[in-house]
Amino acid sequence: MPDLHPHVIVLFGATGDLARRKLLPGLLHLRHAGLIDDCQVVGTALHDLDDERFRAFARTAFDEFGRSDVSVEERDDFQKRLHFVPQNGGVEALRQAVTDAEQRLGGEPRRLHYLSIPPSAAASVVELLGKADLVERSRVIMEKPFGTDLASARALNDTVHQVFDESQVFRIDHFLGKEAALNILAFRFANGLFEPIWNRDHIEHVQIDVPETLGVDDRASFYEHTGAFRDMVVTHLFQILAFMAMEPPTALEPRSISEEKNKVFRSMRALDVRQVVRGQYEGYLDLDGVARRSDTETFIALRCEIDNWRWAGVPFFLRTGKRMAEGARIISIAFREPPKSMFPDGSGVGAQGPDHLTFDLADSTRLSLSFYGKRPGPGMRLDKLSLQFGLHETGAEADVLEAYERLIHDAMSGDHTLFTSAADIERLWELSTPLLEHPPPVQPYQPGSWGPGAIRQLIAPRTWRLPFERGWRQAPQST
């Protein structure tokens, strides 16, 4: 990874849950790993804190969510770099706090503005940064969702571009910062075994499945105006789909990868509402902040298609939801079965479905290739077998950066590879317009299930890959 310039990191929403769980511990770990050389952090939020109280907040975050390999001395040194300015201090207070931080660093350090705030506040904070004259030498990270439809996304892009150049803007999707997501690029483009069969001739369909066991609970008022589609599909699942489906980039660099992702989005067909299932778990209507007759979906499954030479006729099935049976982040590629079988009836061939290549995008980072093989003994009886690989087998688990850590570092170095462009966002909202304007009614489902029963008709005659009939092999226990 490249060496970085000294940075002043301005963290909006510095007392929020994301800052507590991910951002402050992540910055500390980047400093510990030597990936941030010199920095000052200016936190700002609606809370009326001073430096010492903000440092106490960060200390609690480090104790609860930080890595155990960071020494007390390193924590103490980093905490001295934390400063706070209340957001109600306005333009002058923010400008002065950043100026003071820059003077501590000396020279002309870079600025990174992280907007860990509700999307509805993004435009006003961008305008605040412009008025505070904090745009020069700066980059800005913006959290999802980026808009709620095509019109709002365009309006927000226009506001941002009045202050920042597009090259300064980093729209974050933490799914793409995961080691397993990056491994998709390595798996596809570094191996002569798989790229030749990565097309409609050999792949029958693809599933991207992200069920969650958690409900919305204290996020109900936010979720009521967002829903599963805006919260997860546009911002996460479509981005993963692009990694799976894009053509080989001319180089492993941001512009080339962004161009290929954008080609995928341009080739996607607009969503067909007849191929969408929306669900709402029973009990959602009883939550505080939820309208008694709310039509907000807590579950969505859909079929989408990419109308290009590589993927014509191959359906992509996407599913995500709250309060489901298991939590997982799975990409499953189903290969076409042989056109004719020479094996006799009862041999087991075809009884357990097609061969699958499965990526686990969870932090454990695993992949599996299933196939038929002969059962030992007389006769010709076949079973479904699998080859599996897990990150724990490399012995390099300690080297893994958490998704937010990687993406913060990439933004500081100006690398757009894992971020979403304005053109991408607007195109995805354009594709989503039929669903947003004419959503099918939500169907109830039981908490702890796999969603409404209609999802079986959506994917028929295929079946959903989750739940697995065969589990992942577990890492051996250390002694």
Side-chain angles (χ1 to χ4, degrees), residues 307-356:
D307 198 11
N308 64 14
W309 193 273
R310 183 182 289 261
W311 296 113
V314 177
F316 286 73
F317 296 98
L318 281 55
R319 177 174 65 167
T320 186
K322 301 289 188 182
R323 296 293 302 274
M324 297 186 69
E326 296 177 19
R329 298 184 176 106
I330 295 295
I331 303 170
S332 189
I333 296 103
F335 293 100
R336 295 192 184 279
E337 298 188 74
K340 184 174 177 61
S341 175
M342 67 180 186
F343 296 94
D345 294 341
S347 65
V349 172
Q352 299 183 56
D355 300 337
H356 283 85

Side-chain angles (χ1 to χ4, degrees), residues 198-444:
W198 210 265
N199 55 56
R200 60 188 174 88
D201 294 328
H202 301 281
I203 292 177
E204 199 278 332
H205 75 274
V206 177
Q207 295 179 34
I208 302 175
D209 212 347
V210 187
E212 298 180 276
T213 57
L214 297 176
V216 300
D217 300 329
D218 57 352
R219 298 177 66 231
S221 58
F222 160 78
Y223 205 84
E224 177 70 358
H225 300 286
T226 306
F229 180 76
R230 290 181 172 95
D231 187 43
M232 290 292 294
V233 177
V234 176
T235 51
H236 294 322
L237 273 60
F238 280 159
Q239 302 299 324
I240 294 294
L241 182 152
F243 265 32
M244 291 296 303
M246 71 183 189
E247 296 296 319
T250 56
L252 191 64
E253 54 89 20
R255 181 175 178 180
S256 296
I257 292 176
S258 181
E259 285 176 350
E260 298 306 331
K261 284 176 58 184
N262 194 262
K263 288 179 184 177
V264 173
F265 297 144
R266 293 202 306 268
S267 299
M268 284 175 62
R269 294 180 180 177
L271 296 182
D272 183 348
V273 297
R274 296 169 298 180
Q275 300 290 334
V276 177
V277 176
R278 296 169 70 236
Q280 186 184 91
Y281 67 79
E282 295 185 1
Y284 174 77
L285 297 179
D286 299 327
L287 298 175
D288 291 338
V290 174
R292 297 305 86 176
R293 296 186 179 181
S294 172
D295 191 48
T296 298
E297 79 281 355
T298 61
F299 169 96
I300 191 161
L302 57 90
R303 171 178 174 152
C304 58
E305 298 188 17
I306 302 171
D307 198 11
N308 64 14
W309 193 273
R310 183 182 289 261
W311 296 113
V314 177
F316 286 73
F317 296 98
L318 281 55
R319 177 174 65 167
T320 186
K322 301 289 188 182
R323 296 293 302 274
M324 297 186 69
E326 296 177 19
R329 298 184 176 106
I330 295 295
I331 303 170
S332 189
I333 296 103
F335 293 100
R336 295 192 184 279
E337 298 188 74
K340 184 174 177 61
S341 175
M342 67 180 186
F343 296 94
D345 294 341
S347 65
V349 172
Q352 299 183 56
D355 300 337
H356 283 85
L357 176 64
T358 303
F359 291 88
D360 182 356
L361 299 185
D363 294 335
S364 51
T365 308
R366 299 171 293 195
L367 62 87
S368 171
L369 177 63
S370 69
F371 55 92
Y372 284 101
K374 182 183 178 300
R375 181 186 297 178
M380 183 59 72
R381 178 72 180 173
L382 282 75
D383 290 324
K384 203 72 166 182
L385 309 174
S386 68
L387 296 173
Q388 296 187 7
F389 162 79
L391 182 64
H392 65 273
E393 298 177 27
T394 67
E397 287 178 282
D399 297 334
V400 174
L401 289 180
E402 200 275 334
Y404 280 99
E405 296 170 1
R406 178 186 300 278
L407 293 171
I408 289 171
H409 186 276
D410 284 357
M412 294 173 78
S413 60
D415 186 342
H416 276 89
T417 301
L418 302 176
F419 295 86
T420 306
S421 70
D424 289 349
I425 285 292
E426 292 184 16
R427 173 57 178 164
L428 291 175
W429 285 123
E430 181 182 6
L431 293 169
S432 305
T433 297
L435 174 60
L436 298 177
E437 291 184 347
H438 304 287
V442 294
Q443 302 179 35

Side-chain angles (χ1 to χ4, degrees), residues 40-209:
Q40 293 280 312
V41 178
V42 176
T44 182
L46 296 176
H47 294 87
D48 189 12
L49 304 182
D50 57 18
D51 289 358
E52 289 306 315
R53 291 169 65 191
F54 180 50
R55 291 168 183 169
F57 172 84
R59 186 160 50 249
T60 301
F62 299 152
D63 290 340
E64 190 172 359
F65 300 105
R67 302 207 189 191
S68 59
D69 57 345
V70 179
S71 68
V72 174
E73 291 76 18
E74 287 175 306
R75 289 187 181 192
D76 291 344
D77 175 71
F78 186 72
Q79 284 169 199
K80 294 174 183 176
R81 301 169 182 273
L82 303 179
H83 310 277
F84 193 85
V85 54
Q87 202 161 317
N88 59 16
V91 172
E92 293 301 327
L94 179 62
R95 181 192 294 125
Q96 188 61 53
V98 174
T99 299
D100 292 345
E102 290 177 340
Q103 290 175 349
R104 295 185 194 99
L105 292 173
E108 291 189 333
R110 302 288 176 86
R111 301 161 178 160
L112 180 70
H113 307 300
Y114 197 119
L115 275 56
S116 178
I117 55 177
S120 58
S124 61
V125 170
V126 167
E127 292 170 349
L128 172 67
L129 290 169
K131 292 175 183 176
D133 196 23
L134 296 176
V135 176
E136 186 181 1
R137 310 189 313 276
S138 73
R139 299 182 176 108
V140 57
I141 297 178
M142 305 189 71
E143 277 286 342
K144 57 100 176 171
F146 199 86
T148 57
D149 55 19
L150 180 58
S152 62
R154 283 176 172 168
L156 184 52
N157 277 331
D158 290 344
T159 298
V160 171
H161 291 156
Q162 289 173 17
V163 179
F164 292 96
D165 184 78
E166 176 65 15
S167 64
Q168 296 175 279
V169 183
F170 293 77
R171 299 169 187 82
I172 194 168
D173 171 14
H174 72 272
F175 268 47
L176 294 187
K178 291 181 176 294
E179 197 74 28
L182 293 169
N183 207 29
I184 295 171
L185 297 181
F187 193 86
R188 283 193 60 188
F189 301 127
N191 297 296
L193 176 62
F194 289 102
E195 182 55 27
I197 62 172
W198 210 265
N199 55 56
R200 60 188 174 88
D201 294 328
H202 301 281
I203 292 177
E204 199 278 332
H205 75 274
V206 177
Q207 295 179 34
I208 302 175
D209 212 347

